[in-house]
Amino acid sequence: MAKPIQAIRGMNDCLPEQTPAWQQAEAVLRQLMSSYGYSEIRMPVMEVTGLFKRAIGEVTDVVEKEMYTFDDRNGDSLTLRPEGTAGCVRAGIEHGLLYNQERRMWYLGPMFRYERPQKGRYRQFHQFGVEVFGLNGPDIDAELIMLTARLWKVLGVAEHLTLQLNSLGQPEERAQYRQALVAFLQQHEDRLDDDSRRRMHSNPLRVLDSKDAGVQALLADAPVLSDYFGADTQAHFERLKSLLTAAGIRFELNPRLVRGLDYYNLTVFEWITDSLGAQGTVCGGGRYDGLVEQLGGQATPAVGFAMGMERLVLLLDTLGLVEPQPALAEVYVAAMGEGATVAGFALAERLRDQLPALRVMSHCGGGNFKKQLKRADKSGAAIALILGEEEIARGEVTVKYLRGQGEQRTLAQDELIEQLKQEGI
Ligand code: ATP
Ligand code: MG
């Protein structure tokens, strides 16, 4: 036998047993977005490589080592999208959605990053993302956070998530701080790990994000970004905090929160859980007022976040919050004998015409009475509708209750619908 081919490492199948959890989360998300007046946008999963280099920044983990990049048959460099913001901004500029307008949009789809696969970290994963253009906040920043807080509440995971909040200030403020930080790091270079030493020059703020305990200890004495904030930045952050407090949303200030991508300014936030082990960030986002212009559009303020669907679904699973699924069928149509298949399909279609919400499964594959009833039982249906030659000839059907709710009986097919309705099926 030929050796079977397997899926690409880190790219998962979502099997029929797993899709209900996803559908549950997705349904809540769609409903939530509609309740806030946001519209869905769908972008391609591939873009030209230059888009991500320009948007995310050359010296970020994502661009340096996580992108799936290849040349297509024309020799153009393409990349499977590692995140949705860049493509969303690209689409917004390309279709004139952003200039002088307010847009509140969301998307849901696969993203690709070449990372080491582990629980909560995959090479194809899915993000739910929200991007808002044309509003400079902080009210809209607060709305995005409120919307995520509502999502946790609706899904029943609120008590397992905490909100971390920070402000990254404006680029000028960050540039001044950057100088002070680099000077500090240079003084203590011997205490830095390799990654931090490398980042000290290329992307020093990312050193704040270091996982190295020694570096984290050192950073306790490092200069603090907020000391470099001007009045406007301070006011934005203060107003955001007061809006969140007024909405009853608790947050932790985390001055080390810088986020992995380059394009953020002012507000940044993450929702973290300790129920998932190491991969604890479920959702992260912030303001990126410079990005639209950086990608060739008219300067447009913007704010957004992205949520990892796998981590959310894992959380629902771990906490036992996935709703139990109803049986695949409520009614199973069994048809015995020559010519019965046609009559069986006709009855099943008639049921679906009249009772569109009813779950009807038609027996396929022939077989005797016993076999068909065994399948009916396996389908989980409460009722088997049996069509033998006699029933067909008389326009009747035999109703057999599979879960002991009643006596078997034969009635006219025309009465069946009324009967099913009466039984609350
Ligand atoms: P992390 O610190 O976990 O690597 P990140 O900062 O790279 O996350 P973002 O780029 O902010 O993540 O993406 C937003 C969200 O997408 C994350 O909070 C996480 O829930 C999810 N996510 C990111 N990378 C992966 C991945 N490889 N597999 C599954 N989910 C992911
Ligand atoms: Mg990452």
Side-chain angles (χ1 to χ4, degrees):
M1 231 163 43
K3 194 170 173 238
I5 294 174
Q6 300 201 320
I8 299 167
R9 200 164 111 81
M11 302 203 177
N12 300 316
D13 299 302
C14 188
L15 300 177
E17 294 71 38
Q18 299 161 326
T19 46
W22 285 78
Q23 289 172 348
Q24 184 181 329
E26 289 164 9
V28 168
L29 286 169
R30 277 172 209 285
Q31 161 57 30
L32 182 83
M33 293 327 290
S34 126
S35 79
Y36 279 81
Y38 286 55
S39 326
E40 184 183 4
I41 179 169
R42 300 184 184 192
M43 297 85 67
V45 296
M46 244 190 263
E47 300 274 357
V48 297
T49 303
L51 174 68
F52 300 114
K53 289 197 173 166
R54 240 161 102 181
I56 299 171
E58 300 256 7
V59 264
T60 53
D61 281 353
V62 171
V63 172
E64 275 183 339
K65 43 190 186 197
E66 296 175 1
M67 293 206 306
Y68 275 94
T69 297
F70 63 96
D71 288 349
D72 77 355
R73 288 174 192 276
N74 266 333
D76 295 327
S77 180
L78 304 182
T79 295
L80 286 171
R81 61 182 185 188
E83 51 100 64
T85 304
C88 187
V89 171
R90 195 264 316 133
I93 296 170
E94 191 170 331
H95 302 286
L97 305 185
L98 309 183
Y99 181 56
N100 255 344
Q101 303 174 54
E102 179 190 320
R103 289 276 176 181
R104 306 188 197 197
M105 301 190 282
W106 65 273
Y107 54 82
L108 174 64
M111 307 293 161
F112 304 84
R113 295 186 192 178
Y114 191 80
E115 301 199 71
R116 193 170 70 77
Q118 54 199 290
K119 182 181 170 193
R121 190 176 294 286
Y122 311 100
R123 290 182 173 174
Q124 174 172 328
F125 62 101
H126 297 75
Q127 279 184 347
F128 165 74
V130 170
E131 317 288 355
V132 175
F133 298 94
L135 293 168
N136 53 23
D139 47 4
I140 188 66
D141 304 10
E143 175 171 283
L144 289 193
I145 292 173
M146 274 159 62
L147 170 168
T148 50
R150 174 172 296 278
L151 173 65
W152 315 138
K153 208 167 73 185
V154 174
L155 289 171
V157 298
E159 65 206 68
H160 301 275
L161 285 159
T162 53
L163 174 62
Q164 300 215 331
L165 194 64
N166 192 20
S167 174
L168 294 180
Q170 297 291 13
E172 321 77 74
E173 295 158 348
R174 249 179 15 228
Q176 280 184 14
Y177 169 67
R178 189 184 150 118
Q179 279 184 5
L181 180 65
V182 172
F184 171 85
L185 294 174
Q186 272 171 336
Q187 267 173 30
H188 303 280
E189 202 169 337
D190 51 320
R191 292 175 62 187
L192 298 179
D193 65 328
D194 289 347
D195 242 9
S196 301
R197 207 169 290 137
R198 201 169 48 85
R199 284 193 173 134
M200 175 171 77
H201 299 289
S202 59
N203 195 351
L205 259 73
R206 289 285 283 155
V207 176
L208 301 182
D209 213 16
S210 168
K211 305 273 190 297
D212 185 273
V215 174
Q216 280 303 328
L218 172 68
L219 288 172
D221 302 320
V224 178
L225 174 60
S226 58
D227 289 345
Y228 294 77
F229 289 169
D232 288 351
T233 293
Q234 270 171 24
H236 188 112
F237 200 32
E238 288 311 313
R239 181 74 182 138
L240 172 62
K241 288 188 276 187
S242 72
L243 287 169
L244 292 177
T245 304
I249 296 173
R250 275 196 300 272
F251 52 84
E252 281 171 20
L253 295 176
N254 177 359
R256 302 273 165 78
L257 181 66
V258 293
R259 314 246 330 110
L261 319 176
D262 259 5
Y263 46 59
Y264 291 108
N265 68 307
L266 295 174
T267 310
V268 287
F269 66 93
E270 285 189 354
W271 284 99
I272 320 264
T273 180
D274 49 20
S275 308
L276 293 182
Q279 268 49 255
T281 309
V282 176
C283 170
R287 183 157 277 285
Y288 53 95
D289 294 328
L291 187 61
V292 177
E293 194 175 18
Q294 195 180 311
L295 292 180
Q298 300 274 350
T300 306
V303 59
F305 69 81
M307 191 184 75
M309 290 297 291
E310 279 76 3
R311 292 185 196 178
L312 181 68
V313 168
L314 213 54
L315 193 59
L316 293 177
D317 249 338
T318 308
L319 300 173
L321 294 170
V322 179
E323 286 157 14
Q325 290 307 296
L328 286 178
E330 293 163 282
V331 168
Y332 193 93
V333 181
M336 323 283 165
E338 280 298 303
T341 306
V342 172
F345 277 151
L347 177 62
E349 291 301 328
R350 211 168 138 199
L351 290 175
R352 294 184 187 108
D353 283 341
Q354 312 253 345
L355 302 166
L358 185 68
R359 298 189 303 281
V360 183
M361 201 180 248
S362 291
H363 182 83
C364 288
N368 59 21
F369 186 73
K370 201 171 150 206
K371 174 181 167 188
Q372 296 207 21
L373 276 194
K374 220 165 146 184
R375 294 272 190 84
D377 188 50
K378 211 172 158 205
S379 76
I383 291 175
L385 299 178
I386 300 161
L387 289 170
E389 269 156 30
E390 268 176 44
E391 283 96 344
I392 295 168
R394 296 198 209 121
E396 292 179 344
V397 58
T398 296
V399 180
K400 183 172 170 61
Y401 295 91
L402 301 170
R403 319 276 157 210
Q405 331 79 308
E407 286 294 308
Q408 172 171 326
R409 62 208 145 113
T410 300
L411 44 93
Q413 284 190 22
D414 292 337
E415 290 170 46
L416 176 65
I417 309 271
E418 270 319 302
Q419 185 67 39
L420 291 177
K421 279 185 184 161
Q422 264 176 31
E423 287 176 20
I425 277 190

